[in-house]
Amino acid sequence: MPPLLLRAGRAWARLGGPQRRRSSTFDVVVVGGGIVGLASARELILRHPSLTFSVLEKEKELACHQSGHNSGVIHSGIYYTPGSLKAKLCVQGAALCYEYCDRKGIPYKQCGKLIVAVEQEEIPRLKALYERGLLNNVRDLKLISAKEIQAKEPFCRGVMALDSPYTGIVNYRQVALSYAEDFKEVGGTVLTDFEVTDMEMAKESPSESEDGMKYPVVVRNSQGEEIRCQHIVTCAGLFSDRLSEISGCSREPRIVPFRGDYLVLKPEKCYMVKGNIYPVPDPRFPFLGVHFTPRMDGSVWLGPNAVLAFKREGYKLYDFSARDFIDAVVYSGLWKLVFRNVSYGMSEMYRACFLSAQVKQLQKFIPEVTISDILRGPAGVRAQALDRDGNLVDDFVFDGGAGDIGSRVLHVRNAPSPAATSSLAIAKMIAAEVERRFGL
């Protein structure tokens, strides 16, 4: 058996499918086995069952990075600009997510969320957020008083809150793996341990090929193996800019990784939190701030902070990649962001180092939390798209390659949070864009 087919068989076996010989040519290849890539591949194959599709993932397992290192919240769509794509996709995506989980028997909890004002000066922003949520058609929103806050969250203190009972929690890696099973069940091929390092137009047809140049795009991995296809869709998250560069695109918007470190409540203290408790966003700062997030396993996460990650997939404090670090610090857009947010950035770094500083923030909402109640927890790395002026790219960005390959590649350059919540809605949008660009 050729090396590629043997590796494909092993990858298939790892995912629970039968080990069998398969073709190394596909009509459409999706690069990236995270939740957005898998949802998109699933949507495409359901729309075009007569075509052949493959998902290529560089890790040995699917959904290992952003899809498996997130808060697990099913967002309702409160925060986003009315009429924006993010707002529409989040509201649609949340409904589709609940419906999908019900259909597949994937457990979730609709535990709700309180966005809590702890100071009087936050109330105008909270009320504006309520109006925004109504414009976005978020379900069942209401403003509640301090007494009503305590009825829902007995240990939480605040002067007013926005109650979003439609918000929930789920294990998004379980959802992503379910998308993969759907994809395989209707004939899709998943190749893990396949890190794409090159894509180009073929210079000649493959030997013994009956299809001639039907599959003119060559995709190679880090082991020198290759497959051929007609079209490529990349949903590469933390590496979306580098994959785009391979096909001749500009690297902008650049991906700058930000690590979010969580604390966890000790198990005997989890009774203090029933649902999600969030702060009122401060528009002066680029990130949301610390919050309380219950998990499907019964634990409660606190945080996260937001600090520059020294490695794109570095989940530990001392993880370091020289290439990733240099990529970030030589980018002018990062420094412009930093200079606009010096005090915020220093505060985040301080809280990352000293638990007592994080606890002080948490005590604004639940005064009973003490440093003895918490432990250091997991971390995630956010693929933050940043333009050269230091602006956070807050909406979806599509791009194509340059030259002959440009008409055959679609790069999803930015699929911003809450991409997991919105994944099924995003997949419909990506599939429509693929159909438009490639004439499927």
Side-chain angles (χ1 to χ4, degrees), residues 26-211:
F26 303 95
D27 292 307
V28 180
V29 163
V30 177
V31 181
I35 196 166
V36 172
L38 292 168
S40 300
R42 172 186 175 274
E43 180 69 22
L44 283 163
I45 201 169
L46 291 175
R47 292 188 183 199
H48 301 280
S50 63
L51 300 181
T52 55
F53 292 86
S54 178
V55 170
L56 308 181
E57 167 54 43
K58 71 182 179 67
E59 304 294 350
K60 290 180 171 62
E61 297 180 358
L62 297 171
C64 287
H65 294 295
Q66 290 186 105
S67 304
H69 291 81
N70 58 67
S71 65
V73 176
I74 303 173
H75 292 280
S76 59
I78 297 169
Y79 298 105
Y80 317 116
T81 303
S84 68
L85 202 52
K86 278 184 75 169
K88 292 175 182 177
L89 291 174
C90 183
V91 172
Q92 294 170 10
L96 290 170
C97 183
Y98 283 128
E99 179 186 315
Y100 181 84
C101 290
D102 284 336
R103 192 166 69 250
K104 294 291 182 175
I106 297 172
Y108 64 86
K109 295 177 184 176
Q110 209 163 359
C111 56
K113 173 167 69 177
L114 295 183
I115 302 174
V116 180
V118 295
E119 305 285 350
Q120 288 289 335
E121 65 186 26
E122 294 177 317
I123 289 178
R125 297 205 307 270
L126 186 70
K127 290 181 176 179
L129 206 57
Y130 172 63
E131 295 298 329
R132 174 172 284 197
L134 293 180
L135 290 172
N136 287 339
N137 296 313
V138 176
R139 301 185 188 186
D140 304 325
L141 277 185
K142 61 179 179 178
L143 290 167
I144 62 175
S145 66
K147 184 178 292 187
E148 290 171 302
I149 291 172
Q150 286 199 269
K152 284 183 168 288
E153 292 283 356
F155 292 89
C156 183
R157 300 294 181 268
V159 293
M160 184 181 287
L162 181 54
D163 180 14
S164 173
Y166 193 64
T167 300
I169 56 172
V170 73
N171 181 335
Y172 278 119
R173 185 158 193 263
Q174 186 177 358
V175 174
L177 295 178
S178 182
Y179 293 165
E181 289 301 320
D182 294 345
F183 177 69
K184 291 188 295 179
E185 283 173 5
V186 290
T189 299
V190 175
L191 300 179
T192 56
D193 201 17
F194 195 105
E195 181 177 3
V196 174
T197 57
D198 189 28
M199 56 184 80
E200 64 178 5
M201 297 298 291
K203 297 177 176 62
E204 58 185 19
S205 62
S207 59
E208 301 179 5
S209 171
E210 298 177 1
D211 297 311

Side-chain angles (χ1 to χ4, degrees), residues 144-395:
I144 62 175
S145 66
K147 184 178 292 187
E148 290 171 302
I149 291 172
Q150 286 199 269
K152 284 183 168 288
E153 292 283 356
F155 292 89
C156 183
R157 300 294 181 268
V159 293
M160 184 181 287
L162 181 54
D163 180 14
S164 173
Y166 193 64
T167 300
I169 56 172
V170 73
N171 181 335
Y172 278 119
R173 185 158 193 263
Q174 186 177 358
V175 174
L177 295 178
S178 182
Y179 293 165
E181 289 301 320
D182 294 345
F183 177 69
K184 291 188 295 179
E185 283 173 5
V186 290
T189 299
V190 175
L191 300 179
T192 56
D193 201 17
F194 195 105
E195 181 177 3
V196 174
T197 57
D198 189 28
M199 56 184 80
E200 64 178 5
M201 297 298 291
K203 297 177 176 62
E204 58 185 19
S205 62
S207 59
E208 301 179 5
S209 171
E210 298 177 1
D211 297 311
M213 292 297 286
K214 181 181 177 183
Y215 304 100
V217 181
V218 180
V219 182
R220 295 189 183 88
N221 70 4
S222 54
Q223 304 300 314
E225 300 161 338
E226 66 180 46
I227 63 172
R228 293 201 176 209
C229 61
Q230 293 195 53
H231 305 287
I232 303 174
V233 180
T234 71
C235 300
L238 284 156
F239 291 91
S240 62
D241 55 344
R242 291 184 185 167
L243 268 182
S244 299
E245 190 176 32
I246 286 172
S247 68
C249 289
S250 165
R251 282 194 64 185
E252 292 187 16
R254 190 78 60 90
I255 295 299
V256 177
F258 284 90
R259 192 182 72 251
D261 300 305
Y262 285 92
L263 306 176
V264 294
L265 275 179
K266 290 181 177 179
E268 63 270 23
K269 294 294 182 176
C270 288
Y271 66 87
M272 289 194 287
V273 178
K274 296 182 180 297
N276 294 281
I277 302 172
Y278 275 58
V280 179
D282 189 331
R284 295 176 298 168
F285 303 134
F287 298 113
L288 185 60
V290 297
H291 39 275
F292 298 75
T293 305
R295 303 281 293 175
M296 288 300 297
D297 62 3
S299 63
V300 177
W301 288 10
L302 315 171
N305 58 6
V307 295
L308 180 67
F310 297 152
K311 184 178 180 181
R312 291 198 179 197
E313 292 166 350
Y315 302 105
K316 297 177 182 177
L317 182 62
Y318 299 109
D319 283 347
F320 180 81
S321 160
R323 181 184 178 186
D324 294 348
F325 177 72
I326 292 169
D327 254 6
V329 300
V330 301
Y331 184 49
S332 61
L334 174 62
W335 290 107
K336 290 174 182 175
L337 175 69
V338 168
F339 290 142
R340 286 202 299 266
N341 298 277
V342 171
S343 62
Y344 177 83
M346 295 299 291
S347 297
E348 288 293 291
M349 291 175 67
Y350 181 78
R351 285 195 290 270
C353 296
F354 299 100
L355 288 185
S356 58
Q358 290 200 52
V359 171
K360 188 175 180 180
Q361 292 293 310
L362 296 167
Q363 287 173 334
K364 292 179 180 180
F365 302 92
I366 298 183
E368 286 84 351
V369 172
T370 67
I371 197 165
S372 63
D373 296 332
I374 62 173
L375 302 168
R376 289 197 180 273
V381 179
R382 175 177 179 168
Q384 180 59 62
L386 198 64
D387 68 21
R388 68 178 62 190
D389 295 321
N391 299 312
L392 305 182
V393 179
D394 204 34
D395 224 330

Side-chain angles (χ1 to χ4, degrees), residues 422-436:
S422 309
S423 58
L424 289 173
I426 291 170
K428 292 179 184 296
M429 180 184 69
I430 290 173
E433 184 69 12
V434 168
E435 291 169 338
R436 186 186 72 79

